[in-house]
Amino acid sequence: MTVFNEPLVSVVTPVYNGELYLAECIESVLAQTYSNWEYTVVDNRSKDGTRAIADKYAQMDKRIRVHANDTFLDIIGNANKAFSLISRDSKYCKNLSADDWMFP
């Protein structure tokens, strides 16, 4: 089955100050054996190195996007923002907290 026949899966990570765990979280998405996915990291005005980490990975893989909020949102608002950014073509969505990871 080619990637074009597989449903698009959106993964979103709304994050605030997730520097300690974000790289491992992103690496777990990159380690997936399923390849038709898009990944959006939504930085909620972090004051640590979260944005730099996310940007580094976005430069390495075109399926990774980074959105930086203009204003700080509460936790639910940031999650809702993340969900609003998924592709209309996406069949499934997975919320992945910055301090979590997925098995391949």
Side-chain angles (χ1 to χ4, degrees), residues 48-98:
D48 62 3
T50 294
R51 177 73 187 275
I53 292 166
D55 285 342
K56 178 184 101 175
Y57 281 97
Q59 290 174 356
M60 293 170 30
D61 193 310
K62 65 181 180 175
R63 297 173 294 179
I64 301 173
R65 296 177 300 171
V66 179
H67 173 83
N69 290 339
D70 294 328
T71 59
F72 182 80
L73 303 173
D74 64 24
I75 193 167
I76 300 300
N78 198 37
N80 286 336
K81 181 63 179 181
F83 292 130
S84 77
L85 295 171
I86 68 171
S87 172
R88 292 188 181 273
D89 296 329
S90 185
K91 176 87 171 161
Y92 303 102
C93 181
K94 166 68 176 157
N95 183 44
L96 183 64
S97 296

Side-chain angles (χ1 to χ4, degrees), residues 2 4 6 9 19 32 34 63 101:
T2 66
F4 299 109
E6 298 174 340
V9 176
E19 174 181 53
Q32 296 306 301
Y34 189 86
R63 297 173 294 179
W101 44 270

